Amino acid sequence: MLAGVLAGADLGELLRLLPVQRAGFALLLAAIGLPVIGVVIVGLDIMPVRFAMMHVALLGIAVGLLTGLDPMLCALVACALAGAGVAPLARTPDGLSGAMGLLMSLAIAAALLVLAVSGVNASGAFALLWGSILSVGTADLVVLGALAALVPGLFRWRRRDVALLLYDRELAQCSGVPVRALTAVLLVLVAVAVAGAIKLTGALLVDALTLLPALAARRLGTSLRSITLWAVGIGVAVNLTGFLVALRLDWPPGPVLVLTAGALVLAVHLIPERSISTWRAPASDSLPSSH
């Protein structure tokens, strides 16, 4: 068993193992794309999205176990479709929160029904929700690599539109921003990011890779660009530090990543607040004059 090997090896020996190297590389890729997703979650004020997508991922996993397809691939597709499906309901912030609540209820009910009717062992489906970072494969690295390229790329390409949308939806609409299309794209990326992080920390602890770095970055940054850069930097520091600590102490990586990120968020909030602490206040500084 790999766990026995890990328990008896020192840190240097562990870092030479291919599964450990893959896990570390996956966390590095995750630190580039997923904290930016956290900025979207905070900006759109859609905190329930993590829980909704966790339930959707469970439905995808259940369908995968029933059909014999890759459960993680099914979870990824299910989350992407769910993100696109709730976009038309997201015409106001309240509507988005309501849509996530509806999605959460329907997804968990459907997942439990699939598991009950099919006779599939439910423990196998729920086990995937706790994460298995040392079993990261090529497909997982491809998904995380795509997110690491697409999410920051979208922010750079449509920075003004994204900043306007996160600042004020109605202002963005009046300014000619394609609000519905951009919201749909962002929701799909959020959903895929949650599904892509399942293997690393489990769906229940996905906040360590997405939301917590964004919360710390929002305190440190003074514009959307600086908050995004802070979020990525914090994500890299938290992921690598937490992973090394988990390896050294032979502890499960998911909870260690959450506690590391949480400690950093608390430490950041002890810093005296600046006169301008979030990008939402200085809209003129956050929004570039041209593309």
Side-chain angles (χ1 to χ4, degrees):
M1 295 287 292
L2 183 57
V5 175
L6 297 181
D10 61 29
L11 185 58
E13 293 174 337
L14 291 177
L15 294 176
R16 287 192 287 269
L17 297 175
L18 181 59
V20 173
Q21 292 175 357
R22 279 179 172 267
F25 184 50
L27 284 172
L28 184 59
L29 290 175
I32 297 173
L34 300 190
V36 185
I37 290 295
V39 174
V40 173
I41 293 174
V42 172
L44 291 178
D45 193 20
I46 51 172
M47 302 297 181
V49 71
R50 299 116 60 217
F51 303 107
M53 292 307 155
M54 178 191 75
H55 291 78
V56 172
L58 178 59
L59 173 59
I61 291 170
V63 172
L65 292 174
L66 173 64
T67 60
L69 299 174
D70 183 355
M72 294 309 301
L73 177 61
C74 291
L76 193 69
V77 172
C79 285
L81 292 176
V86 299
L89 303 178
R91 298 184 179 181
T92 66
D94 292 339
L96 188 56
S97 298
M100 289 299 171
L102 174 63
L103 180 62
M104 187 187 309
S105 301
L106 294 179
I108 189 61
L112 294 176
L113 182 61
V114 170
L115 292 172
V117 172
S118 65
V120 172
N121 184 4
S123 63
F126 284 99
L128 290 175
L129 294 180
W130 309 117
S132 181
I133 193 170
L134 294 177
S135 65
V136 168
T138 302
D140 302 300
L141 294 177
V142 169
V143 172
L144 293 171
L147 288 170
L150 290 175
V151 177
L154 176 63
F155 265 56
R156 182 176 179 81
W157 176 44
R158 303 303 293 267
R159 183 175 60 178
R160 176 181 176 275
D161 290 351
V162 171
L164 275 169
L165 177 61
L166 299 186
Y167 176 70
D168 187 289
R169 184 183 179 88
E170 292 184 1
L171 177 61
Q173 187 104 39
C174 296
S175 301
V177 175
V179 169
R180 292 186 183 181
L182 185 57
T183 300
V185 170
L186 291 176
L187 286 175
V188 169
L189 288 175
V190 168
V192 171
V194 171
I198 289 177
K199 187 70 74 70
L200 301 182
T201 63
L204 298 178
L205 299 178
V206 72
D207 286 355
L209 303 181
T210 55
L211 187 62
L212 295 183
L215 290 177
R218 188 176 64 166
R219 177 78 175 192
L220 297 171
T222 57
S223 67
L224 181 60
R225 181 176 182 275
S226 65
I227 286 177
T228 301
L229 293 176
W230 270 111
V232 172
I234 291 170
V236 170
V238 165
N239 286 6
L240 296 185
T241 300
F243 186 51
L244 291 175
V245 169
L247 288 176
R248 182 68 180 84
L249 300 178
D250 191 25
W251 288 352
V256 175
L257 288 170
V258 172
L259 292 174
T260 304
L264 182 57
V265 171
L266 291 175
V268 165
H269 278 74
L270 293 177
I271 300 174
E273 187 173 2
R274 301 178 182 181
S275 58
I276 295 175
S277 60
T278 73
W279 67 272
R280 285 181 175 275
S284 59
D285 294 337
S286 300
L287 307 178
S289 58
S290 61
H291 290 283

